[in-house]
């Protein structure tokens, strides 16, 4: 039976909860601050996991170079995304991106602090948006494979967009010198990324399969990996790690004894180290430094201390003055070439139009008008500045580069004599698969990277030059070519075709490196496959994302999982809803004659009743949920709006949920308590007052 004071009990309970909410709006889940607090509390574990994963992945790259940590990044991200909603997935990916890109790109602070902030933030936002796609893949049974493909697809997007892409932070580029690097020769950098990400996602699957284990912050009812899957997942982890290191057991594309060799020299002339970027731009001194270093090499050759090189390589920006327009610079380059007695590749800034180029100079004849490579991929906001008219109002960087460079449009193999067919890429271009591959397929049997790292090392950081050197080492393995790295300030290096460092200089010093390297003409599997492995992986990943979206909708009425009762969507709120019966004075006799109301009263008795276990803040949450249910019940014809106190109980089954946006019931039985009025729903007689499904 319903007590006479039932209505007053309900009213009193709601008033008390309302007073408590007014006193502490942060704890009121119906307020904006309360919803934010609940969201942060629920996502605290996944966000911390994403933060740790981003930092671990950043440590896998130079200057730290802890390459075994690379799979832990994908593992942590998959665990953090498991069970997350759309907005939570976006936020989780954003946190991972911030933790990864800000340390990885910290060297850009030498240009300007806002350049670092803008570049790292842009990459983090792009990564966060793309992370939503990985969340869809977690709906699949074979999601570790899908997640591995997602990393390739995400890198493919970042390599191409925006403004031509920014290829820093690819998983493959952390594996220079590691047992896994051989995959680059088999399928290129995308396949190497795939196997590293597969090892990480398989590890995440194993963690999810621990008995009773589930990702931090995941709902209690989320799939937790049953015991019978544990062995299978463990085998998958072992197989993925074994697959990643398989190339170390083989000699891929070995150097043949019949391959020709050549003696090469890389000149690192050094630049004046100034406290500001403008102070370092002393063009005449930079060229003079490289001339002096080359003359010292010539003296060593004449004294028999060093072999005569067949090719000398100067770095990018070894002269920022067009030699054809300045007699002094022209004379310095001619003297250096004639004295050393070998062709010299100089990094020049050429005019009419403005270009960043590498030009061959020959002893006795000077510069060759045809043996010139023009840089094809220009650095955004460096060599070419988008939104120049806007940026010149807020930053002085546009004054340092008042005119945009003009990009080259073709691969160019430089013929330096004695069988040397040189493929040149300049600085930033070493990160792009297609640019390096095009030089090899055009016939290059030796590769060089000309670079100027002085801009990014003024504060002593070596991240940028170390990351570029790692890319050059991986390119050597990918294309089975020796690579000569010439830098203004270091690191300069000579890299063997298997990725080993034949020699390497330090930073901020003058140095000359010499080494004998093979001139290899055959192509690797990666060269022959071209970009097709990446295209296939991306296409299959997109198909898998669509399948994951459809599977999520079919199982959970939404691609990102269930929207459960209450404003926050946490399943633990269901306990609060059940406890509302006691908080509101209890469910009374429902006049159905089944005795269920009396049994509920007996179960609620005493200090251990559900009402006693529900705190005031939780009752407020439950009140909010019940208010939603009451409004929906009136809308769907279960209740009359007049004379109704509220819904006494919602009997929830394991598969039941309320979608917050659409407020829909699924396999739910709603028992209604009315102060007055007929015992049949508004829908009319004969429909039954005990239960109704919607």
């Amino acid at each position: 039976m319903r007590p006479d004071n039932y209505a007053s009990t309900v009213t009193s309970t709601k008033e008390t909860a309302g007073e408590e909410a007014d006193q502490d709006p942060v704890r009121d889940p119906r307020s904006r601050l309360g919803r934010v607090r609940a969201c942060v509390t629920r996502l605290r574990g996944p966000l911390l996991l994403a933060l740790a994963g981003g930092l671990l992945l950043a440590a896998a790259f130079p200057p730290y170079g802890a390459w075994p940590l690379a799979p832990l990044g994908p593992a942590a991200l998959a665990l953090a995304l498991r069970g997350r909603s759309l907005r939570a997935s976006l936020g989780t990916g954003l946190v991972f991106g911030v933790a990864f890109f800000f340390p990885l790109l910290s060297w850009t602070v030498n240009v300007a602090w806002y350049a670092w902030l803008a570049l790292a933030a842009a990459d983090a936002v792009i990564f966060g948006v793309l992370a939503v796609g990985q969340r869809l893949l977690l709906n699949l049974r074979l999601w570790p494979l899908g997640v591995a493909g997602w990393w390739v697809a995400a890198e493919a997007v970042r390599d191409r967009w925006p403004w031509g892409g920014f290829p820093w932070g690819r998983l493959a580029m952390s594996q220079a010198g590691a047992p896994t690097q051989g995959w680059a020769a088999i399928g290129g950098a995308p396949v190497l990324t795939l196997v590293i990400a597969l090892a990480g996602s398989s590890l995440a699957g194993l963690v999810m399969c621990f008995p009773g284990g589930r990702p931090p912050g995941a709902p209690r009812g989320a799939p937790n990996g049953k015991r019978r899957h544990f062995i299978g997942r463990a085998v998958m982890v072992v197989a993925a790690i074994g697959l990643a290191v398989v190339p170390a057991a083989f000699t891929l594309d070995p150097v043949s004894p019949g391959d020709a060799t050549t003696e090469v020299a890389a000149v690192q002339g050094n630049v004046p180290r100034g406290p500001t970027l403008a102070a370092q731009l002393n063009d005449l001194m930079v060229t003079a430094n490289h001339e002096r270093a080359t003359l010292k090499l010539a003296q060593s050759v004449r004294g028999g201390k060093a072999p005569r090189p067949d090719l000398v390589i100067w770095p990018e920006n070894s002269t920022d003055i067009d030699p054809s327009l300045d007699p002094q610079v022209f004379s310095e380059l001619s003297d250096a070439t004639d004295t050393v007695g070998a062709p010299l590749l100089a990094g020049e800034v050429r005019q009419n139009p403005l270009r960043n180029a590498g030009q061959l100079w020959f002893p006795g004849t000077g510069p060759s008008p045809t043996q010139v490579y023009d840089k094809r991929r220009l650095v955004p906001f460096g060599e070419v500045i988008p939104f120049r008219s806007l940026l010149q109002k807020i930053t002085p960087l546009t004054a340092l580069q008042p005119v945009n460079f003009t990009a080259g449009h073709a691969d160019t193999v430089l013929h330096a004599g004695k069988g040397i067919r040189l493929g040149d890429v300049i600085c930033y271009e070493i990160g792009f698969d297609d640019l390096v591959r095009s030089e090899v397929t055009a016939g290059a049997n030796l590769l060089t990277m000309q670079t100027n790292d002085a801009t990014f090392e003024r504060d002593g950081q070596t991240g940028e030059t170390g990351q570029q050197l790692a890319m050059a080492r991986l390119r050597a393995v990918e294309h089975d070519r020796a690579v000569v790295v010439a830098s203004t300030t270091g690191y300069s290096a000579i890299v063997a075709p298997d990725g080993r460092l034949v020699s390497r200089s330090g930073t901020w010093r003058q140095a000359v490196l010499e080494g004998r390297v093979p001139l290899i003409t055959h192509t690797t599997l990666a060269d022959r496959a071209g970009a097709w492995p990446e295209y296939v992986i991306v296409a299959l990943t997109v198909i898998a994302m669509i399948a994951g979206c459809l599977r999520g909708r079919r199982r959970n009425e939404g691609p990102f999982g269930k929207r459960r009762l209450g404003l926050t969507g946490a399943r633990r709120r269901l306990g609060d809803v059940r406890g509302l019966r006691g908080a509101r004075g209890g469910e009374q006799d429902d006049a159905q004659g089944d005795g269920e109301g009396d049994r509920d009263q007996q179960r609620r008795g005493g200090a251990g009743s559900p009402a006693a276990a529900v705190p005031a803040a939780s009752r407020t949450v439950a009140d909010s949920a019940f208010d939603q249910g009451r409004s929906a019940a009136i809308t769907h014809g279960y209740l009359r709006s007049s004379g109704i106190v509220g819904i006494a109980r919602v009997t929830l089954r394991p598969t039941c949920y309320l979608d917050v946006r659409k407020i829909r019931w699924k396999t739910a039985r709603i028992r209604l308590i009315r102060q007055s009025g007929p015992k049949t729903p508004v829908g009319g007689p004969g429909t039954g007052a005990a239960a109704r499904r919607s």
Side-chain angles (χ1 to χ4, degrees):
M1 298 295 294
R2 182 186 304 115
D4 295 336
N5 64 344
Y6 175 72
S8 62
T9 301
V10 173
T11 304
S12 175
T13 302
K14 296 188 68 176
E15 289 177 352
T16 302
E19 292 175 359
E20 294 175 353
D22 292 339
Q23 294 174 1
D24 190 3
V26 177
R27 298 181 64 85
D28 181 9
R30 292 175 295 183
S31 68
R32 184 181 299 273
L33 289 176
R35 291 197 297 271
V36 171
R37 178 179 180 273
C39 180
V40 171
T41 300
R42 186 175 73 255
L43 293 177
R44 181 169 51 195
L47 292 182
L48 289 176
L49 187 58
L51 181 68
L55 294 175
L56 288 172
L57 184 56
F61 291 82
Y64 309 105
W67 59 263
L69 297 179
L72 299 183
L77 182 61
L79 289 171
L81 289 174
R82 185 73 168 178
R84 304 277 70 79
S85 65
L86 170 63
R87 286 181 294 181
S89 299
L90 176 63
T92 302
L94 181 61
V95 169
F96 187 98
V98 167
F100 176 45
F101 287 108
F102 272 84
L104 182 76
L105 305 177
S106 60
W107 39 267
T108 55
V109 75
N110 288 285
V111 178
W113 65 267
Y114 46 83
W116 174 40
L117 179 64
L119 178 59
D123 277 333
V125 169
I126 294 172
F127 191 91
V129 173
L130 295 175
V132 176
Q134 183 176 146
R135 172 61 186 89
L136 294 175
L137 294 167
L138 295 178
N139 292 331
L140 301 174
R141 292 184 181 276
L142 296 178
W143 61 264
L145 288 172
V147 167
W150 176 88
W151 280 90
V152 177
E155 291 178 357
V157 172
R158 292 194 296 108
D159 290 352
R160 294 168 172 82
W161 181 87
W163 300 299
F166 187 70
W168 255 249
R170 300 174 69 183
L171 291 181
M173 299 307 175
S174 68
Q175 301 299 297
T180 57
Q181 67 177 4
W183 280 104
I186 298 173
V191 173
L192 179 53
T193 289
L194 181 74
V195 297
I196 297 301
L198 180 61
S201 60
S202 300
L203 181 61
L206 179 63
V207 173
M208 294 180 188
C209 283
F210 277 103
R214 60 179 180 277
R220 293 181 183 275
N224 60 2
K226 302 185 186 307
R227 289 178 180 271
R228 65 176 179 271
H229 297 311
F230 179 81
I231 296 178
R233 292 292 189 185
V235 170
M236 186 173 183
V237 171
V238 174
I241 295 176
L243 181 67
V245 299
V246 158
F250 301 93
T251 303
L252 300 172
D253 301 313
V255 178
S256 171
D259 290 328
T261 61
T262 188
E263 189 75 21
V264 295
V267 176
Q268 178 177 302
N270 207 4
V271 303
R273 188 174 183 178
T276 64
L277 184 59
Q280 290 189 171
L281 301 179
N282 191 326
D283 303 331
L284 292 175
M285 183 176 291
V286 173
T287 305
N289 285 348
H290 285 81
E291 181 193 18
R292 283 194 290 269
T294 305
L295 294 180
K296 290 179 182 178
L297 171 63
Q299 291 176 358
S300 297
V301 171
R302 287 195 297 268
K305 297 179 181 179
R308 180 177 299 278
D310 298 317
L311 174 65
V312 177
I313 299 176
W314 283 14
E316 175 193 25
N317 300 133
S318 48
T319 172
D320 276 350
I321 300 175
D322 191 337
S324 65
L325 303 178
D326 190 288
Q328 179 180 345
V329 174
F330 187 95
S331 175
E332 289 175 343
L333 278 164
S334 296
D335 290 345
T337 305
D338 294 342
T339 303
V340 79
L344 185 150
L345 177 68
E348 305 171 354
V349 174
R350 298 168 62 85
Q351 302 291 332
N352 304 318
L354 186 64
R355 291 161 290 159
N356 192 345
Q359 184 176 31
L360 272 178
W361 292 62
F362 291 90
T365 59
S368 170
T370 59
Q371 301 298 303
V372 181
Y373 170 74
D374 292 329
K375 187 176 183 180
R376 290 175 282 171
R377 195 69 53 90
L378 302 178
V379 180
F381 303 98
E383 293 166 319
V384 58
I385 300 180
F387 313 118
R388 178 181 289 274
S389 59
L390 173 63
L391 292 179
Q392 67 185 5
K393 300 176 182 178
I394 59 177
T395 172
L397 287 180
T398 54
L400 295 176
Q401 187 56 57
V403 180
N404 286 343
F405 279 75
T406 298
H409 300 288
D411 52 71
T412 303
V413 176
L414 306 175
H415 297 269
K418 296 187 177 181
I420 300 174
R421 298 193 298 274
L422 183 65
D424 187 17
V425 289
I426 299 177
C427 191
Y428 179 67
E429 294 182 316
I430 194 68
F432 294 91
D433 298 348
D434 57 328
L435 297 182
V436 184
R437 186 190 307 117
S438 67
E439 298 290 333
V440 174
T441 54
N445 56 17
L446 176 66
L447 295 175
T448 185
M449 179 184 72
Q450 297 175 288
T451 182
N452 176 18
D453 301 311
T455 302
F456 307 108
E457 297 176 359
R458 286 187 297 107
D459 64 351
Q461 294 194 62
T462 58
E464 189 268 349
T465 186
Q467 290 160 17
Q468 276 195 334
L469 179 57
M471 294 180 191
R473 295 179 65 185
L474 196 73
R475 296 305 183 192
V477 175
E478 182 178 2
H479 304 290
D480 200 28
R481 297 291 190 274
V483 179
V484 181
V485 179
S487 171
T488 51
T489 58
Y491 302 120
S492 296
I494 296 177
V495 184
D498 59 0
R500 290 181 300 105
L501 289 173
V502 177
S503 60
R504 193 192 79 169
S505 72
T507 58
W508 293 106
R509 66 191 64 178
Q510 192 173 98
V512 176
L513 305 179
E514 270 199 280
R516 179 160 292 276
V517 296
L519 300 175
I520 299 176
T521 57
H522 68 257
T523 55
T524 64
L525 290 174
D527 291 326
R528 293 191 287 272
W532 280 106
E534 183 181 48
Y535 294 156
V536 171
I537 294 170
V538 171
L540 293 177
T541 302
V542 171
I543 294 172
M545 286 183 188
I546 297 173
C549 181
L550 296 176
R551 182 179 176 86
R553 288 185 178 277
R554 183 167 60 251
R555 294 178 58 188
N556 299 322
E557 299 292 337
F560 297 97
K562 301 179 180 180
R563 301 268 186 176
R564 293 172 179 83
L565 185 64
L567 294 178
T568 64
R571 180 166 284 195
R572 63 179 179 273
R573 300 298 185 191
L574 300 182
D576 298 339
V577 174
R578 296 188 183 101
L580 183 66
R581 294 176 296 180
R584 289 195 167 189
E587 182 184 29
Q588 308 303 319
D589 188 6
D590 53 10
Q592 298 305 312
D594 56 3
E596 185 171 348
D598 294 332
R599 289 193 296 271
D600 284 343
Q601 284 183 335
Q602 296 173 3
R603 287 195 296 267
R604 285 195 312 275
S609 65
V614 179
S618 297
R619 291 200 299 271
T620 305
V621 173
D623 284 346
S624 178
F626 266 66
D627 288 342
Q628 291 187 40
R630 175 179 177 274
S631 300
I634 292 173
T635 302
H636 289 280
Y638 282 92
L639 295 173
R640 295 182 183 277
S641 59
S642 60
I644 302 300
V645 174
I647 301 177
R649 188 181 74 164
V650 179
T651 303
L652 295 156
R653 298 179 183 176
T655 57
C656 171
Y657 69 96
L658 282 173
D659 188 294
V660 173
R661 296 178 180 176
K662 298 182 179 179
I663 309 182
R664 179 185 302 163
W665 283 273
K666 183 179 180 181
T667 65
R669 185 177 66 220
I670 303 175
R671 296 185 179 277
L672 310 175
I673 297 296
R674 299 181 301 278
Q675 252 186 325
S676 60
K679 295 184 178 181
T680 58
V682 177
T687 57
R692 181 171 179 177
R693 299 179 184 271
S694 174

